Amino acid sequence: MSISLSSLILLPIWISMAHIQQGGPDEKEKTTALKDLLSRIDLDELMKKDEPPLDFPDTLEGFEYAFNERECFWGKKEDRWPGLCYEENPYPWSILSKITEGQLRHIKTGEPFVFNYREDLHRWNQKRYEALGEIITKYVYELLEKDCNLKKISIPVDATESEPKSFIFMSEDALTNPQKLMVLIHGSGVVRAGQWARRLIINEDLDSGTQIPFIKRAMDEGYGVIVLNPNENYIEVEKPKIHVQSSSDSSDEPAEKRERKDKVSKETKKRRDFYEKYRNPQREKEMMQLYIRENGSPEEHAVYVWDHFIAQSAAENVFFVAHSYGGLAFVELMIQREADVKSKVTAVALTDSVHNVWHQEAGKTIREWMRENCCNWVSSSEPLDTSVESMLPDCPRVSAGSKVARFGFD
């Protein structure tokens, strides 16, 4: 029979209570105090004592995962070679090969990512998933620079050495391309520049969860490209410890009274520390957020990038692709820069946009422009591009051809 560490922690308290309950009035007071202590101990939190350390690798190799590459061939069934991946040949007169890549697989077993790495330790598994997600974010940044040949541009553009900074990505010709510029805005949550959905990257592949296919196709068709980073709104630093001076040091109270207060204060602190030790044994550092100037929210970020980059670009036609909360950020940009947006933006493709022209108080002229220049592809079981009824008097809504959103919020 196994006994958890949390049970061993509580055992002495239960034994003490059993002994105390046999005593007199003074002992009953102690019983009340112990009961109060037990009532304040969150058993779910106490189970953290059984957790392994929240200490995870900082590389994909450390996690023993990698994004694979596999060659697929188009061809007839009779021409198939063992061990190769085949797809339906769209060109009957030729045999072509192509490379499909980007599925996250364990480097030893070849299996997909497993969330429940340790049974009955959901919090630990979630922390592991988040740690892997941070590594994938950096991996996607590298792909944007190396595979897509985008430049990483620091913002604010006039930031000092010491202030918090964010960044966006741009193609070499983003500001100089005289004809076409594509601007990509992802949704809310943990995703960062270059991603649509972390969940899809981890569980499906890079093509499903990143903006890379959009970027490459846009560049192949002669567009300049700007990739926004609307969720990078602050940096986190460790919260400084504040040393509070004891009130007794400067008090004019009698020495005897100060001693009694100090004794009570020390006992209270001891009890609190005892409780905190078991409440949060995997104590994580207390962090504080330092917001990035003029980029403290997705809406601020969209306006900042417009003013300092998009509005300065040479492109005669600017196109937006905005997912989820990115659609709301675009509508806010329109509200704040209506004339400029109308003069420069040709069309906007929204995907499951969560904008609301009533709540955002978009004016009549904005709603009319959106009806002519925007389209929102939404999750639906209807065939692709089938009209979907909307209760809002703004842009048309059409089916994305799937009940499940292809892009996620995570």
Side-chain angles (χ1 to χ4, degrees):
M1 184 178 84
S2 62
I3 301 176
S4 69
L5 190 54
S6 55
S7 298
L8 291 175
I9 294 165
L10 291 172
L11 188 59
I13 300 176
W14 291 328
I15 293 171
S16 297
M17 287 183 63
H19 288 163
I20 289 169
Q21 285 175 342
Q22 298 173 6
D26 290 342
E27 303 300 331
K28 287 183 179 178
E29 272 187 41
K30 293 179 182 177
T31 304
T32 303
L34 283 170
K35 284 182 177 178
D36 178 62
L37 174 62
L38 283 171
S39 69
R40 288 185 288 116
I41 292 178
D42 185 332
L43 292 180
D44 288 336
E45 294 287 333
L46 189 59
M47 290 302 291
K48 293 177 187 176
K49 196 69 180 175
D50 295 331
E51 280 185 350
L54 299 176
D55 184 19
F56 303 105
D58 57 5
T59 63
L60 277 177
E61 293 77 10
F63 270 96
E64 297 188 325
Y65 280 97
F67 287 99
N68 67 3
E69 290 188 9
R70 60 193 177 94
E71 190 164 10
C72 285
F73 288 85
W74 287 323
K76 299 176 182 178
K77 288 184 179 180
E78 56 268 27
D79 295 332
R80 296 186 179 185
W81 295 351
L84 294 180
C85 162
Y86 282 83
E87 294 184 2
E88 188 70 23
N89 185 359
Y91 308 107
W93 61 88
S94 63
I95 297 177
L96 303 173
S97 68
K98 68 172 183 174
I99 300 293
T100 60
E101 61 179 5
Q103 296 171 314
L104 189 67
R105 293 292 182 264
H106 195 278
I107 58 178
K108 293 180 180 177
T109 66
E111 293 296 316
F113 175 75
V114 176
F115 179 85
N116 288 317
Y117 187 76
R118 291 179 182 265
E119 291 295 331
D120 302 324
L121 287 175
H122 180 80
R123 177 178 176 272
W124 187 90
N125 289 328
Q126 180 64 33
K127 292 290 183 183
R128 174 176 172 267
Y129 176 83
E130 291 168 7
L132 177 63
E134 291 302 309
I135 294 169
I136 286 173
T137 291
K138 294 175 183 175
Y139 183 81
V140 173
Y141 289 158
E142 290 177 9
L143 292 179
L144 294 181
E145 292 186 276
K146 293 177 182 177
D147 285 16
C148 301
N149 297 314
L150 301 186
K151 297 186 298 181
K152 186 177 180 181
I153 308 297
S154 181
I155 55 175
V157 293
D158 59 346
T160 63
E161 188 73 24
S162 58
E163 75 171 296
K165 304 174 190 66
S166 181
F167 49 87
I168 59 172
F169 291 89
M170 298 195 312
S171 63
E172 196 72 40
D173 67 339
L175 302 184
T176 59
N177 188 316
Q179 296 180 330
K180 300 183 289 187
L181 174 65
M182 178 76 72
V183 181
L184 302 175
I185 315 179
H186 59 63
S188 59
V190 297
V191 290
R192 294 294 185 268
Q195 300 180 49
W196 292 127
R198 176 185 289 181
R199 172 178 52 81
L200 292 179
I201 296 172
I202 292 176
N203 296 322
E204 293 195 26
D205 54 47
L206 288 167
D207 279 358
S208 299
T210 73
Q211 298 172 349
I212 290 172
F214 288 74
I215 294 167
K216 287 185 174 181
R217 179 170 176 180
M219 294 176 75
D220 286 346
E221 296 188 10
Y223 289 79
V225 175
I226 296 181
V227 178
L228 271 64
N229 203 8
N231 292 336
E232 193 76 12
N233 307 129
Y234 55 81
I235 62 169
E236 284 193 328
V237 297
E238 191 172 354
K239 201 171 186 178
K241 294 180 181 178
I242 302 173
H243 298 283
V244 181
Q245 189 178 15
S246 175
S247 59
S248 61
D249 293 345
S250 58
S251 174
D252 294 330
E253 292 177 338
E256 186 180 341
K257 188 174 182 180
R258 287 204 308 270
E259 286 176 9
R260 284 200 304 270
K261 288 182 70 175
D262 284 346
K263 185 178 179 181
V264 170
S265 177
K266 287 176 182 176
E267 289 178 353
T268 302
K269 183 179 183 303
K270 188 176 179 181
R271 286 197 298 270
R272 185 174 62 245
D273 290 347
F274 172 82
Y275 170 62
E276 182 62 23
K277 177 183 176 183
Y278 294 110
R279 187 193 71 81
N280 190 11
Q282 297 276 17
R283 181 179 292 182
E284 297 164 42
K285 294 177 181 177
E286 282 193 81
M287 308 298 285
M288 61 185 293
Q289 298 169 347
L290 300 179
Y291 279 84
I292 297 163
R293 174 165 54 90
E294 298 181 81
N295 287 269
S297 69
E299 297 91 329
E300 275 191 11
H301 177 76
V303 172
Y304 185 89
V305 175
W306 175 272
D307 288 345
H308 292 83
F309 298 96
I310 304 169
Q312 309 301 324
S313 69
E316 185 178 343
N317 299 291
V318 176
F319 301 85
F320 275 78
V321 178
H323 172 59
S324 181
Y325 201 88
L328 185 148
F330 174 80
V331 171
E332 188 61 31
L333 170 63
M334 272 221 74
I335 292 169
Q336 295 194 37
R337 301 287 187 271
E338 181 177 353
D340 292 342
V341 170
K342 285 181 176 179
S343 68
K344 206 162 178 68
V345 176
T346 300
V348 181
L350 305 172
T351 60
D352 278 322
S353 175
V354 297
H355 72 274
N356 187 304
V357 291
W358 294 134
H359 292 166
Q360 294 180 256
E361 299 181 352
K364 181 181 178 182
T365 54
I366 291 176
R367 299 196 302 270
E368 289 174 348
W369 184 90
M370 289 181 67
R371 276 197 290 272
E372 295 298 321
N373 298 277
C374 300
C375 185
N376 188 12
W377 278 265
V378 298
S379 303
S380 169
S381 58
E382 296 295 325
L384 179 66
D385 291 334
T386 302
S387 180
V388 176
E389 187 178 356
S390 172
M391 297 181 68
L392 295 174
D394 52 15
C395 59
R397 282 161 44 103
V398 297
S399 172
S402 172
K403 287 184 179 180
V404 180
R406 192 62 186 155
F407 307 146
F409 291 82
D410 55 349

